[in-house]
Amino acid sequence: MARVLINFAHPALEKSRVHSQLLRVVKNIPGVTFNDLYEQYPDLDVDVAREQKLLEQHDIIFMQHPFYWYSAPAIVKQWLDLVLEHGWAYGHTGKALQGKYFGNIITAGGAAHSYEPDGHHGHTVHEFLLPFMQTAKLCNMHYTAPYVIYGVHRQDTSDIQEDAARLKQVLERLRDDKFDLTPLPGLKDLTQILQLPAQTR
Ligand SMILES: Cc1cc2nc3c(=O)[nH]c(=O)nc-3n(C[C@H](O)[C@H](O)[C@H](O)COP(=O)(O)O)c2cc1C
C-alpha cells in the first residue's frame, strides 16, 4: 500500500461550502494522513522538522486547496518556502524526497470550459500549476496530474457529495497502489490515470 499524505490549506474553513464537505470524507480514509496546515499554523509559523518528517513518512503527497488567484492560499507558499530546504529537498545532498509523488487537489470556481486554452481564463489549470510541477521535479519527485473539481460555485449540496465520494475513490485507488502515476502526455486529469469516469460539470 502507498502511504498518502494530504496537506490541506483553507484560510476560512468556517465559510467553506466545498472543502468542508470534502473533508468529512477525506479525513476518515484509513491509510491516508490528513494534515490541516492552517489549523496547525494559524500564524504561518510552520514547524519545518514536523513537516519534513511527515513527508519522509509518505509516498504520495497532495496539497489540497481552493484555487486562489490561479494558485493556492498563502500558507502553501509559506510551506514550500520553509519546508523544501536546500540540502534536504534539493541540491547535491538533497535527496529526502527522491521518487515520491507530488500533486494538487483543487477546487475551482471557474467551469472546466473556462480553463480551456480559448476559454475565459486563457490557460488550463495545469498551465497555472507549472511552479508546483517544476518544484516537484527540482526536488526529485514525480508530479502527478492534478485532481481538479471545476465549477464549484454552481454546485449544490448533492453535487458536492458526489465529488466527495469520487475523491474518496481516487484516494483509495492511490493508497492501494494500483497505478503508475507518472502523467502520460495528453492526460488532463488524475481521474484519467485512475480510469474513473470524467467529471461532467
Ligand atoms: C481569494 C479568492 C481567489 C479565488 N481565485 C480563483 C481563481 O483564480 N480561479 C477560480 O476558478 N476560482 C477562484 N476562486 C474561487 C474559489 O476557488 C472557490 O470559491 C473555492 O474553490 C470554493 O471552495 P470552498 O467552498 O471550500 O471555499 C477564488 C476565491 C477566493 C476567495
Side-chain angles (χ1 to χ4, degrees):
M1 293 228 301
R3 299 165 301 172
V4 181
L5 172 65
I6 304 230
N7 284 328
F8 174 70
H10 197 305
L13 193 53
E14 68 287 353
K15 293 186 190 152
S16 157
R17 235 169 41 87
V18 186
H19 287 273
S20 57
Q21 280 199 63
L22 298 180
L23 291 200
R24 285 194 206 140
V25 170
V26 168
K27 272 181 156 179
N28 295 307
I29 304 176
V32 174
T33 307
F34 181 78
N35 184 32
D36 185 336
L37 296 179
Y38 276 107
E39 187 180 71
Q40 287 289 331
Y41 313 115
D43 301 322
L44 305 195
D45 191 10
V46 174
D47 180 340
V48 173
R50 176 184 182 273
E51 295 302 313
Q52 289 183 345
K53 194 171 169 203
L54 273 173
L55 291 175
E56 284 168 1
Q57 290 167 343
H58 293 83
D59 310 302
I60 302 174
I61 297 119
F62 281 114
M63 308 308 287
Q64 179 185 334
H65 56 88
F67 208 30
Y68 275 7
W69 292 116
Y70 306 109
S71 185
I75 202 167
V76 174
K77 183 67 166 58
Q78 174 83 336
W79 182 94
L80 292 167
D81 292 352
L82 296 180
V83 177
L84 303 181
E85 283 181 325
H86 181 259
W88 183 80
Y90 69 101
H92 286 308
T93 57
K95 304 289 179 217
L97 302 174
Q98 193 150 30
K100 295 180 189 290
Y101 289 90
F102 187 81
N104 299 76
I105 296 171
I106 285 179
T107 59
H113 60 77
S114 69
Y115 284 103
E116 297 291 336
D118 58 352
H120 182 67
H121 298 291
H123 300 272
T124 65
V125 168
H126 303 58
E127 285 170 339
F128 287 119
L129 294 175
L130 191 61
F132 287 95
M133 191 182 297
Q134 186 56 29
T135 298
K137 203 168 166 188
L138 190 79
C139 295
N140 312 294
M141 293 188 280
H142 308 286
Y143 186 77
T144 74
Y147 184 80
V148 188
I149 301 174
Y150 292 101
V152 293
H153 291 324
R154 286 163 188 252
Q155 290 190 339
D156 60 22
T157 308
S158 75
D159 293 331
I160 301 169
Q161 270 166 9
E162 224 177 86
D163 290 333
R166 212 154 157 272
L167 180 57
K168 179 172 190 260
Q169 251 187 315
V170 166
L171 293 170
E172 286 172 347
R173 286 189 183 208
L174 292 171
R175 177 201 62 193
D176 296 342
D177 215 3
K178 292 199 178 115
F179 295 88
D180 176 8
L181 286 178
T182 318
L184 304 169
L187 277 177
K188 289 177 73 179
D189 201 284
L190 194 54
T191 46
Q192 288 171 285
I193 299 175
L194 302 177
Q195 296 165 10
L196 287 166
Q199 189 191 348
T200 49
R201 286 179 296 274

